[in-house]
């Protein structure tokens, strides 16, 4: 332990691998990996016990650029691979780096099940609402009307809402952030890491080549304060450049409404307080879209429950404890045997 | 409980019994008639009596198909004898038909003069119509070639269980044990083992246990009081001459599970089994899920892809990942198997083959996934392939699959089939402590490490686990640089990596036993070459033909990829090579491709195992030219 104590704490740059990063210049992924390296340094993560697992896509190159353990697997399957990793060694800290095609299209089934099982890992969805690595086709999160090489007249599909899907799947931790929010993102990563169980984090990520500024309507500096609400447990759901807007429940429609604080007798005390353990509120926050509503950022839902890997391995451990002298030779000789 | 001393107890006194060398019995009835349970009990009791045996459960894919229909008929066949038994038997000597549909479906397999026991209580007009009979076969003399024993088993069962106060439906469910009691009398088998089993199984509902015991006793008494007529008398089948030792019965699913556990333990690893339910492979998941005390982790995944991926993830983290399915499920796993080839991680893929293509006939056997195992991936992605040849042999095959996977850091295919999975046979229980310890050595030394550093002999890469300080590295499906393990698009490097992956798998041929002639000698004229579950019928056929003075050998191949180094030379020493397969000629194609050998095929794709007679006929025809 003394040896440990003398080791210099790792800095953010110590979590970068020696491989040249090959994302497009200006890609939001640069910001995400920077926030991740800072987070790991801040929390004192160990390189050897940290594993990044990915499928296919731009986001899936993430593990190559980290100095931790990494496994770049096949399209959509990172969640399934990670489940096996946790069942073999639950002490590993597993992060999945995935994109909207990888997680919600080809890998949608695995995402559903890793969340409902509550495998103890962090699932990062880099959502840029487009297919990057295959050169710009629309994705399952693209908005209706997205023009792309495969939809020259505009896409006609309804997009999936990632955080709502995660909540519907039974996720116990759902958060959202934006690639460029370098103050916000590490905090969300840290919360995801602290949560035991499957932590789902949607990162709104700008694809500068195929879908530039797709989030600008609420991330552009001039509109951001009025079109984003940063949620925090126990804090009122207040937003706006002058903190003059809030969210409250309209009892007639059972939905959130935006109210102006200081108008019509509305005060901050009328505004709803964020309770991250409330699944109904989480669903309403996840659903909000501009321009009618602000986009909710932060930890929308955190309500820990038993984890799959822990419970499965507890059954195995208890079976071993019940039969400490389990002997395969004896096992094979149980029941009806005969001698010739 | 060991019943090693019970052999004597299970054979009844000789009386005036005729001695037989072997007998084949088939039970057939509705899916809900308990035919498989009856067969299981007869198997157990026969094994305890010291006979050699082989069984063939044959059931519909539907769980409870409509009663009385031909497509809902479930059957169980057992061949047991005083000699070594190698198949479940070509044609039954005895058929127990619980209803007209069972008679209709099975009568064609019965040789003239064989014993046909029917439950006349079910031969109503309605049931006859459902079975497709225009007239009652018991009355139209169409069964004159058989020794038909007509018994109203239904009524006699109802009478015998009357004191237990069951409902009519519950009471009729006991009729399989009435029939079993009769068979026990016919072949001089003791009832105590089955009584004990019934009492244990229905311990919480004593009336049901008691009723089944009463039904069995009534069936037995029926035989004893010589009510059978037709000169049907009791038989005796003495114990078989088998290698000495302690035996139990085992199905292929059991033996595969035990072999995987034994092999993994000898490698010093945890077994992580990822699987998605599919007929007939699910049995393996069930057995392994009950072996947690041996540090076995089972994961019922959301689909076949997740199943194989979880296994790969487990291997990446230092367990042995194993996945299992049947042909259609294996197809879904294919991309992930390619990943395991590329990142060079150990993985065992068990394929319990079944009839195809597509859903095919899920409960029927076939060996038509050899191409899929040997060739069935995109790009150059060689994978070793091993086949089990019988239920008991699946243990050794599984141990070998684990050995190759961990020693060579590669996925390995282990092929069984529906027949092997479900059939049972006596198993000389091995001493698993005597298995050679092959503990895996994980890389811990950071000096000079990169993840694709290879062992000079095996060409296997270093296995370095996440959690090991100083060995942090990245692996993935992108091509790796030979000298650093980093991503590489270099043309020459890709060629080099492709060739080293191939050389690694080809080199396994030096680490497997040379191919032996299973039965016969190199001086023979014909080699009958098989793989998988055709072992039994081929072996018996060749044995019989040798007794007739024909120069025939049997060569059975366990290692299908890479093939044993001496196999080509071995085949060249015969004038004829005959390859019986339950497919259209997949091994034949492989042998022709590898050795330019003029092999001919004997191909039967019926969903049923080969009959011995089919193989004998084919050999004779070949020799007649």
């Amino acid at each position: 332990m003394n040896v440990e104590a003398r080791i210099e704490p790792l800095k953010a740059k110590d979590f970068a691998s020696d491989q040249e990063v090959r994302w497009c210049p200006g890609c939001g992924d640069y910001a995400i990996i920077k926030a991740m390296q800072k987070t790991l340094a801040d929390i004192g993560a160990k390189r050897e016990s940290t594993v990044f697992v990915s499928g296919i896509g731009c986001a899936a190159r993430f593990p190559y650029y980290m100095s931790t353990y990494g496994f770049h697997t096949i399209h959509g399957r990172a969640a399934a691979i990670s489940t096996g990793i946790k069942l073999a060694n639950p002490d590993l800290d597993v992060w999945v780096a995935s994109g909207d095609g990888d997680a919600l299209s080809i890998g949608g089934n695995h995402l559903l099940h890793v969340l409902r099982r509550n495998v103890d890992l962090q699932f990062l969805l880099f959502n840029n609402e487009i297919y990057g690595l295959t050169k710009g086709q629309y994705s399952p999160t693209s908005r209706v009307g997205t023009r792309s090489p495969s939809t020259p007249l505009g896409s006609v599909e309804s997009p999936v809402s990632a955080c709502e899907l995660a909540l519907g799947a039974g996720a116990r931790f759902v958060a959202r952030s934006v690639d460029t929010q370098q103050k916000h993102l590490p905090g969300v990563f840290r919360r995801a890491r602290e949560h035991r169980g499957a932590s789902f984090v949607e990162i709104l990520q700008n694809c500068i080549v195929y879908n530039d500024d797709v989030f600008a309507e609420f991330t552009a500096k001039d509109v951001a304060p009025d079109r984003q609400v940063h949620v925090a447990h126990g804090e009122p759901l207040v937003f706006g450049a002058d903190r003059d807007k809030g969210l409250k429940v309209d009892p007639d429609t059972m939905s959130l409404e935006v109210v102006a604080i200081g108008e019509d007798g509305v005060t901050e005390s009328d505004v709803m307080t964020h309770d991250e353990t409330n699944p109904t509120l989480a669903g309403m926050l996840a659903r909000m879209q501009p321009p009618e509503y602000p986009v909710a950022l932060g930890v929308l839902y955190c309500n820990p429950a038993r984890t799959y890997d822990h419970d499965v391995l507890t059954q195995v451990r208890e079976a071993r404890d019940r039969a400490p002298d389990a002997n395969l030779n004896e096992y094979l000789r149980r029941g009806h045997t005969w001698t010739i | 409980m060991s019943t090693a001393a019970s052999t004597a107890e299970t054979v009844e006194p000789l009386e005036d019994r005729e001695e037989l060398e072997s007998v084949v019995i088939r039970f057939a009835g509705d899916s809900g008639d308990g035919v498989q349970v009856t067969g299981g009990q007869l198997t157990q009791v026969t094994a305890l009596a010291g006979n050699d045996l082989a069984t063939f459960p044959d059931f519909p894919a539907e769980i409870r198909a409509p009663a009385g229909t031909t497509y809902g008929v479930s059957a169980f066949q057992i061949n047991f004898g005083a000699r070594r038994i190698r198949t479940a038997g070509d044609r039954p000597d005895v058929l127990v038909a619980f209803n007209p549909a069972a008679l209709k479906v099975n009568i064609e397999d019965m040789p003239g003069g064989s014993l046909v026991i029917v439950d006349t209580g079910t031969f109503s007009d309605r049931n006859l119509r459902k079975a497709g009979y225009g007239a009652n076969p018991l009355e139209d003399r169409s069964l004159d070639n058989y020794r038909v024993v007509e018994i109203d088993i239904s009524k006699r069962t109802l009478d015998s269980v009357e004191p237990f106060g069951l409902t009519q439906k519950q009471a009729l469910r006991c009729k399989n044990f009435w029939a079993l009691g009769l068979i026990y009398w016919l072949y001089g088998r003791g009832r105590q083992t089955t009584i004990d089993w019934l009492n244990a199984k229905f311990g919480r509902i004593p009336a049901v246990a008691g009723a089944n015991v009463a039904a069995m006793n009534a069936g037995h008494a029926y035989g004893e009081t010589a009510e059978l007529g037709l000169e049907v008398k009791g038989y005796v089948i003495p114990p078989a001459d088998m290698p000495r030792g302690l035996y139990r019965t085992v199905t292929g699913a059991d033996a595969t599970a035990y072999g995987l556990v034994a092999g993994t333990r000898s490698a010093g690893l945890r077994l992580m089994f990822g699987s998605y339910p599919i007929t007939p492979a699910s049995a393996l998941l069930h057995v392994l899920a009950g072996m947690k005390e041996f540090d076995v982790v089972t994961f019922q995944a959301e689909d076949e892809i997740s199943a194989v991926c979880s296994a790969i993830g487990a291997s990446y983290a230092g367990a042995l990942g194993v996945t299992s399915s049947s042909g259609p499920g294996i197809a879904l796993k294919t991309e992930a198997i390619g990943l395991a080839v590329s990142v060079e991680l150990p993985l065992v893929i068990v394929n319990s083959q079944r009839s195809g293509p597509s859903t095919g006939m899920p409960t029927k056997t076939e060996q038509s996934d050899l191409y899929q195992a040997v060739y069935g991936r995109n790009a150059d992605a060689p994978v070793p392939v091993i086949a089990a040849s019988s239920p008991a042999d699946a243990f050794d095959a599984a141990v070998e699959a684990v050995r190759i996977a961990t020693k060579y850091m590669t996925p390995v295919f282990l092929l069984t089939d529906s027949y092997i999975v479900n059939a049972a046979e006596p198993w000389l229980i091995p001493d698993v402590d005597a298995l050679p310890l092959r503990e895996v050595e994980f890389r811990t030394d950071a000096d000079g490490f990169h993840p694709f550093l290879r062992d000079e002999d095996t060409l296997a890469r270093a296995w370095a686990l996440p959690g090991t300080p100083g060995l942090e590295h990245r692996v993935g499906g992108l091509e790796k640089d030979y000298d650093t393990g980093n991503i590489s698009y270099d043309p020459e490097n890709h060629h080099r990596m492709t060739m080293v992956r191939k050389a690694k798998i080809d080199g396994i041929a030096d680490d497997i036993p040379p191919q032996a002639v299973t039965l016969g000698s190199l001086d023979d004229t014909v080699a009958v070459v098989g793989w998988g579950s055709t072992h039994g019928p081929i072996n018996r056929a060749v044995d019989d033909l040798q007794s007739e003075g024909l120069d025939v050998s049997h060569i059975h191949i366990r290692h299908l990829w890479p093939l044993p180094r001496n196999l080509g030379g071995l085949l060249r020493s015969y004038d004829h090579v005959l390859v019986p397969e339950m497919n259209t000629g997949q091994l034949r194609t492989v042998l022709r491709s590898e050795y330019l050998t003029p092999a001919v095929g004997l191909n039967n794709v019926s969903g049923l195992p080969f009959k011995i007679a089919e193989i004998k006929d084919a050999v004779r025809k070949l020799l007649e030219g």
Side-chain angles (χ1 to χ4, degrees):
Chain A
M1 294 310 285
N2 291 335
V3 179
E4 286 269 314
R6 280 204 302 274
I7 291 174
E8 286 279 308
L10 294 174
K11 299 191 178 69
K13 66 176 171 51
D14 296 325
F15 286 94
S17 77
D18 60 355
Q19 297 296 294
E20 188 189 345
V21 182
R22 297 187 190 181
W23 287 313
C24 305
C27 176
D29 290 353
Y30 284 96
I32 298 172
I33 203 163
K34 192 174 152 213
M36 177 57 67
Q37 288 162 351
K38 175 176 173 5
T39 304
L40 294 180
D42 288 351
I43 62 181
K46 288 184 177 167
R47 278 190 297 221
E48 67 268 23
S49 54
T50 305
V51 186
F52 282 87
V53 185
S54 64
I56 295 293
C58 295
R61 300 298 176 94
F62 201 92
Y64 287 116
Y65 309 138
M66 298 293 294
S67 64
T68 62
Y69 281 91
F71 196 176
H72 176 224
T73 71
I74 48 177
H75 209 2
R77 318 306 173 195
I81 300 255
S82 299
T83 301
I85 291 174
K86 289 297 288 193
L87 289 175
N89 185 354
D91 297 333
L92 295 172
D93 187 26
V94 175
W95 299 78
V96 176
S98 188
D100 35 313
D102 194 55
L104 297 170
S105 197
I106 193 167
N109 192 31
H110 309 305
L111 175 61
L112 159 66
H113 292 282
V114 81
L115 295 178
R116 79 164 172 88
R117 287 192 184 105
N118 203 27
V119 180
D120 185 17
L121 49 74
Q122 293 77 246
F123 193 105
L124 311 180
L125 171 70
F126 297 23
N127 184 7
N128 55 18
E129 300 191 0
I130 204 76
Y131 282 177
L133 208 52
T134 52
K135 301 200 193 305
Q137 299 86 355
Y138 77 110
S139 94
T141 53
S142 296
R143 292 161 212 184
V144 176
T146 299
R147 288 179 187 270
S148 79
S150 57
T151 50
L153 303 181
S155 65
V156 297
E157 296 172 27
S158 287
V160 64
S161 161
C163 287
E164 282 186 82
L165 181 125
L167 288 164
R172 312 297 299 206
F173 181 100
V174 176
R176 189 191 277 144
S177 189
V178 179
D179 52 6
T180 49
Q181 296 191 3
Q182 288 295 308
K183 289 218 166 67
H184 190 253
L185 196 50
V188 169
F189 286 161
R190 178 195 276 259
R191 285 291 312 277
R193 165 70 156 37
E194 284 166 0
H195 172 255
R196 284 183 61 92
S199 306
F200 180 81
V201 180
E202 179 186 24
I203 307 153
L204 303 172
Q205 175 244 326
N206 191 51
C207 173
I208 195 166
V209 174
Y210 294 109
N211 216 12
D212 196 20
D213 285 340
V214 70
F215 303 116
E217 63 173 317
F218 60 92
T219 56
K221 267 195 182 136
D222 52 336
V223 295
D226 288 320
R227 292 199 178 158
Q228 298 178 5
V229 55
H230 285 255
V231 306
H233 185 61
E235 301 290 326
L237 292 164
V238 169
F239 64 104
D242 303 320
R243 292 189 62 79
D244 58 350
K245 298 186 181 69
L247 295 166
K248 74 185 267 282
V249 175
D250 176 349
D252 293 335
T253 61
M254 294 293 286
S255 59
L256 291 174
E257 62 174 335
V258 177
V259 293
I261 298 169
E263 288 178 22
D264 303 328
V266 175
T267 66
E268 194 166 314
S269 62
D270 297 317
V271 172
M272 183 140 191
T273 298
H274 182 47
D275 174 4
E276 65 185 19
T277 66
N278 181 339
T280 309
L281 178 60
M284 291 194 287
L285 291 172
R287 203 172 300 128
M288 294 195 305
Q289 282 183 19
E292 190 185 356
Y293 290 103
V295 171
L297 301 174
V299 178
L300 309 186
Y301 187 57
C302 178
N303 191 6
R306 309 180 67 84
T307 72
Y308 179 77
D309 36 327
H310 175 267
D311 284 2
V312 166
L313 296 172
T314 298
Q315 282 189 351
V316 172
R317 199 190 60 240
E318 287 174 355
R320 296 178 66 183
D321 289 348
R322 275 195 300 276
D325 304 319
N327 177 312
L328 190 58
N329 264 335
E330 282 172 19
Y331 181 93
L332 298 178
R333 285 158 180 77
R334 271 186 219 159
H336 288 298
T337 59
W338 67 97
T339 302
I340 290 177
Chain B
M1 177 192 67
S2 170
T3 48
S6 66
T7 303
E9 293 163 22
T10 55
V11 180
E12 298 210 329
L14 264 177
E15 304 158 21
D16 178 26
R17 287 174 174 268
E18 183 185 334
E19 187 170 316
L20 293 178
E21 196 185 27
S22 69
V23 67
V24 178
I25 300 173
R26 184 184 294 179
F27 295 98
D30 271 332
S31 295
D33 276 341
V35 165
Q36 305 302 331
V37 171
T38 314
Q41 280 304 300
L42 182 56
T43 302
Q44 197 62 256
V45 169
T46 297
L48 293 175
N51 295 129
D52 197 8
L53 66 90
T55 71
F56 179 44
D58 184 21
F59 38 83
E62 295 74 19
I63 301 302
R64 291 279 158 89
T69 57
T70 50
Y71 56 86
V73 171
S74 174
F76 182 94
Q77 184 164 313
I78 179 168
N79 180 7
F80 59 94
R83 64 171 185 177
R84 293 315 301 266
I85 297 297
R86 294 181 185 131
T87 76
D90 277 12
R91 311 187 79 185
D93 302 298
V94 181
L95 170 67
V96 181
F98 286 111
N99 65 17
L103 180 70
K104 175 105 179 178
V105 170
N106 290 289
I107 194 70
E108 279 174 24
D109 295 338
M110 303 301 293
S114 57
L115 192 63
V116 177
I117 300 171
V118 294
D119 175 11
T120 58
T122 61
F123 276 62
S124 63
D125 288 347
R126 186 178 141 79
N127 279 344
L128 286 164
R129 266 201 313 278
K130 266 204 237 175
Y133 277 119
N136 188 342
L138 302 177
E139 292 164 3
D140 67 2
R141 306 189 61 87
S142 61
L143 303 177
D144 279 2
N145 273 339
Y146 309 97
R147 293 186 296 156
V148 179
V149 179
E150 298 181 21
I151 312 172
D152 191 342
I153 297 176
S154 299
K155 178 167 188 310
R156 287 176 180 276
T157 302
L158 289 176
D159 291 348
S160 63
V161 307
E162 207 252 319
F164 295 91
L166 303 181
T167 64
Q168 166 106 353
K169 197 173 162 192
Q170 285 175 319
L172 276 177
R173 283 224 176 130
C174 301
K175 73 180 192 176
N176 56 331
F177 279 91
W178 195 97
L180 185 63
L182 180 61
I183 294 293
Y184 280 178
W185 176 80
L186 265 175
Y187 296 96
R189 300 280 118 114
R191 282 161 283 164
Q192 194 56 46
T193 303
T194 299
I195 292 170
D196 293 344
W197 180 83
L198 282 166
N199 285 331
K201 169 127 183 127
F202 297 111
R204 282 185 299 173
I205 4 178
V208 172
N212 277 300
V213 171
M216 178 171 67
N217 287 340
H220 192 271
Y222 185 90
E224 205 160 35
T225 50
E227 293 183 57
L228 287 171
L230 290 165
E231 296 173 8
V232 177
K233 54 180 181 178
Y235 302 97
V236 66
I237 295 165
D241 184 18
M242 315 227 302
R244 299 197 168 279
L246 187 68
Y247 282 79
R248 58 172 287 176
T249 58
V250 76
T251 65
D254 295 333
T256 305
Y258 304 155
L260 289 171
V261 174
T264 311
R265 288 171 73 80
S266 83
L269 300 176
R270 158 175 280 180
L271 173 58
M272 209 303 283
F273 184 79
S275 177
Y276 182 75
I278 182 171
T279 301
S282 311
L284 185 55
L285 170 62
H286 304 165
V287 179
L288 286 170
M291 296 185 77
K292 292 185 171 53
E293 66 266 44
F294 298 106
D295 208 20
V296 174
V297 179
T298 55
F299 171 53
Q300 181 177 313
E302 60 271 25
D303 62 21
E304 297 284 2
I305 297 170
S306 173
V308 63
C309 285
S310 69
I312 292 170
S315 286
Y316 172 73
L320 176 67
V322 179
T323 190
S324 155
S325 190
S326 196
I330 299 292
L332 285 165
K333 297 180 196 288
T334 304
E335 186 197 7
I337 295 168
L339 174 68
V341 169
S342 176
V343 296
E344 303 187 45
L345 280 170
L347 171 71
V348 175
I349 310 128
V350 185
N351 181 354
S352 304
Q353 300 166 94
R354 71 184 207 190
S355 298
S358 188
T359 309
M361 301 192 289
T363 57
K364 309 299 176 188
T365 199
E366 210 161 277
Q367 48 183 178
S368 46
D369 298 343
L370 184 64
Y371 287 163
Q372 185 188 40
V374 174
Y375 303 127
R377 283 163 297 285
N378 58 303
D380 286 300
V383 171
V385 181
I386 293 170
S389 63
S390 77
D393 182 60
F395 178 86
D396 296 327
V399 170
E400 176 70 348
V402 173
R403 178 185 78 89
I404 291 179
T406 51
K407 182 168 177 182
Y408 292 90
M409 296 290 282
T410 177
V412 174
F413 264 107
L414 171 59
L415 300 180
T416 69
D417 63 29
S418 183
Y419 172 77
I420 288 175
V421 167
N422 292 312
E425 66 180 355
W427 182 38
L428 180 58
I429 309 171
D431 178 3
V432 294
D433 293 338
L435 286 174
L437 269 186
R438 300 187 177 100
E439 276 198 38
V440 166
E441 279 184 36
F442 297 113
R443 173 84 183 200
T444 52
D445 182 5
D447 192 24
F449 169 79
H450 74 81
F452 285 83
L453 207 56
R454 292 178 190 281
D455 181 277
E456 281 177 18
D457 295 328
T458 63
L459 298 177
R461 80 167 178 96
W463 195 359
L465 304 185
T468 314
L471 299 192
E472 295 84 1
H473 65 273
R474 277 63 60 193
V475 294
L478 289 169
E479 187 58 284
K480 274 87 29 191
D481 180 72
Y482 188 95
D483 294 313
T484 65
N486 290 326
I487 299 174
S488 168
Y489 289 91
D490 180 74
E492 280 170 29
N493 178 70
H494 177 54
H495 180 80
R496 188 180 185 194
M497 286 296 282
T498 301
M499 298 318 280
V500 77
R501 285 188 289 260
K502 175 173 163 27
K504 180 177 83 166
I505 302 306
D506 288 347
I508 295 170
D510 296 323
D511 191 22
I512 60 177
Q515 182 64 49
V517 177
T518 312
L519 190 64
S521 78
L522 294 179
D523 302 329
D524 288 329
T525 312
V526 181
V528 185
V529 180
W531 66 281
S533 72
T534 55
H535 183 278
I538 294 175
N539 202 258
R540 174 58 71 193
V542 168
D543 202 349
D544 290 355
L545 291 167
Q546 286 180 352
S547 307
E548 292 172 23
L550 298 183
D551 296 333
V552 190
S553 291
H554 175 199
I555 293 173
H556 214 73
I557 304 174
R558 173 189 294 297
H559 290 275
L560 291 152
W561 201 265
L563 291 159
R565 290 252 189 255
N566 65 329
L567 181 61
L570 212 60
L571 297 181
R572 273 190 288 279
S573 65
Y574 293 89
D575 296 342
H576 304 280
V577 173
L578 176 70
V579 187
E581 286 181 274
M582 296 184 289
N583 61 45
T584 56
Q586 300 192 5
L587 175 63
R588 177 171 37 121
T589 303
V590 173
L591 295 178
R592 285 177 172 182
S593 159
E594 292 299 306
Y595 307 120
L596 303 176
T597 191
V600 296
L602 170 62
N603 303 95
N604 181 341
V605 201
S606 63
L608 296 170
F610 270 101
K611 290 184 170 27
I612 296 159
E614 280 176 83
I615 295 168
K616 281 158 61 167
D617 289 349
V619 172
R620 286 198 194 96
K621 228 166 148 186
L622 201 62
L623 284 171
E624 284 161 13

